[in-house]
Amino acid sequence: MIGYVCKYTPIAIIESFGEKTCRLEPTTSNFDQAHTYTHPNICSYAKAVLEQCLNENFNQLILTTCCDSIKRIADLLAAQNNLKFLYLLDLPRKRNAAGEQKFTQELIKLIQAYEKFTQTKFSPANMLKILTTKENKPISTAGDKLKIGVTGARCPQSIIELIEEFDGKIIHNLTCTGELNLPNLNPKAEKNLISWYARSLLNTYPCMRMEDIDDRYQTIVESSKQLDGIIHHSVKFCDFYSFDYAYLKQKLDIPLLKIETDY
């Protein structure tokens, strides 16, 4: 089992090696160990990841350079040296041709590192099979339940369950923990599979750390036409998503509720 935290993590590559992947959604009730290694004001999600890794002894973990806090967690875990495989994937901020080329190179480096770790050769055929068997299933908007969208940063499962408990239906989850909808595989992509995958990951619904986020707001505004309201979740000390909320508050004409938690 290999853990990951970022939606831009190339899980199809890892799964092509026969490994199972697990997105970390820590449910720790304290930061006892994390606070011995980090400052109290560091991102609480990053501390929760560190706490879980220290307590549960994850053997393998892939992190990305999605934010400074996660990069510091990678430094701390590397210093502890108790993971069999720890990899920090460099994630471009620009979604242009140069960014796609850079990300393609980073995915190739990851493949090489994992080949060395597992002593197993990467199989494009396995990856192709994984990509072609995953379907994007649309969510029905029919029914009498309140149609809710979730935006912002990582939304804990407990909030999702709370919405559903009060008869709400999640129509769109546009947070880091939402579904990742990749485009259908182009037959021509088989010859340049890694390049296609890099481009597809980079051009999914952009998070706030990307340079060009026009698509982000266009998607939210368009999806809001199907919704009764939006819940915007942000993690304490994450200024990016506070700016995100302020912008959305001006753009949307449906109820918008901000919830800030310490994860």
Side-chain angles (χ1 to χ4, degrees), residues 164-177:
E164 294 172 344
E165 181 183 339
F166 282 90
D167 217 26
K169 183 173 185 179
I170 306 294
I171 304 299
H172 300 292
N173 184 344
L174 298 177
T175 70
C176 310
T177 54

Side-chain angles (χ1 to χ4, degrees), residues 38 69 91 95 110 118 138 144 161 186 221 229 250:
T38 63
S69 294
L91 180 63
R95 300 185 296 150
L110 171 61
T118 61
D144 297 328
E161 293 172 354
N186 188 321
V221 170
Q250 297 176 353

Side-chain angles (χ1 to χ4, degrees), residues 29 32 45 61 65 70 73 79 93 100 109 112 129 133-134 156 162-163 165 180 191-192 195-196 223 245:
S29 60
D32 290 346
Y45 173 77
L61 184 64
T65 57
I70 294 298
I73 296 304
R93 291 183 62 247
E100 293 169 8
K109 291 179 184 178
Q112 293 171 341
K129 184 178 180 181
T133 53
K134 289 186 176 181
L162 189 64
I163 294 170
E165 181 183 339
L180 182 65
K191 296 181 180 179
N192 301 289
S195 296
W196 176 88
S223 66
Y245 167 76

Side-chain angles (χ1 to χ4, degrees), residues 133-140 171 179 181:
T133 53
K134 289 186 176 181
E135 298 181 356
N136 298 327
K137 297 181 180 179
I139 299 175
S140 172
I171 304 299
E179 292 298 320
N181 293 320

Side-chain angles (χ1 to χ4, degrees), residues 6-257:
C6 178
K7 73 171 189 171
Y8 293 105
T9 304
I11 60 176
I13 287 177
I14 299 303
E15 290 178 352
S16 70
F17 282 90
E19 293 285 347
K20 292 183 178 180
T21 56
C22 174
R23 184 179 61 215
L24 300 190
E25 295 187 27
T27 55
T28 182
S29 60
N30 62 71
F31 299 127
D32 290 346
Q33 292 200 68
H35 276 168
T36 66
Y37 296 102
T38 63
H39 190 279
N41 285 357
I42 197 171
C43 166
S44 47
Y45 173 77
K47 285 190 292 188
V49 169
L50 178 61
E51 190 76 26
Q52 182 176 4
C53 290
L54 293 173
N55 286 333
E56 298 183 14
N57 294 320
F58 263 88
N59 288 326
Q60 302 180 51
L61 184 64
I62 293 180
L63 301 175
T64 65
T65 57
C66 54
C67 71
D68 287 340
S69 294
I70 294 298
K71 288 191 283 186
R72 299 294 74 79
I73 296 304
D75 294 339
L76 289 165
L77 289 172
Q80 293 302 305
N81 199 30
N82 59 355
L83 292 172
K84 292 182 179 179
F85 183 81
L86 173 63
Y87 195 89
L88 182 63
L89 180 68
D90 195 8
L91 180 63
R93 291 183 62 247
K94 295 184 178 181
R95 300 185 296 150
N96 55 16
E100 293 169 8
Q101 184 179 14
K102 167 69 174 174
F103 199 38
T104 299
Q105 295 170 349
E106 293 302 319
L107 295 188
I108 291 172
K109 291 179 184 178
L110 171 61
I111 290 172
Q112 293 171 341
Y114 209 66
E115 283 181 328
K116 182 177 180 180
F117 170 70
T118 61
Q119 294 296 302
T120 305
K121 289 295 292 181
F122 168 68
S123 171
N126 287 349
M127 181 178 169
L128 191 61
K129 184 178 180 181
I130 290 167
L131 290 170
T132 53
T133 53
K134 289 186 176 181
E135 298 181 356
N136 298 327
K137 297 181 180 179
I139 299 175
S140 172
T141 57
D144 297 328
K145 294 185 176 183
L146 285 174
K147 302 174 184 65
I148 304 298
V150 183
T151 62
R154 306 175 180 279
C155 188
Q157 184 61 27
S158 58
I159 292 180
I160 300 296
E161 293 172 354
L162 189 64
I163 294 170
E164 294 172 344
E165 181 183 339
F166 282 90
D167 217 26
K169 183 173 185 179
I170 306 294
I171 304 299
H172 300 292
N173 184 344
L174 298 177
T175 70
C176 310
T177 54
E179 292 298 320
L180 182 65
N181 293 320
L182 295 178
N184 293 326
L185 187 64
N186 188 321
K188 295 181 180 180
E190 296 184 26
K191 296 181 180 179
N192 301 289
L193 187 58
I194 304 303
S195 296
W196 176 88
Y197 193 40
R199 181 169 59 255
S200 298
L201 284 174
L202 278 182
N203 286 284
T204 54
Y205 171 75
C207 76
M208 281 293 290
R209 57 94 61 198
M210 292 302 183
E211 183 180 75
D212 179 7
I213 55 175
D214 289 344
D215 290 354
R216 175 182 182 83
Y217 295 120
Q218 182 178 349
T219 300
I220 294 176
V221 170
E222 285 298 315
S223 66
S224 69
K225 298 174 183 178
Q226 309 174 50
L227 304 174
D228 295 310
I230 288 179
I231 292 177
H232 186 279
H233 177 263
S234 63
V235 180
K236 192 175 182 181
F237 302 124
C238 189
D239 291 335
F240 275 126
Y241 286 95
S242 293
F243 302 149
D244 194 36
Y245 167 76
Y247 186 83
L248 288 175
K249 190 175 181 180
Q250 297 176 353
K251 290 289 184 180
L252 300 176
D253 57 3
I254 62 173
L256 174 64
L257 172 67

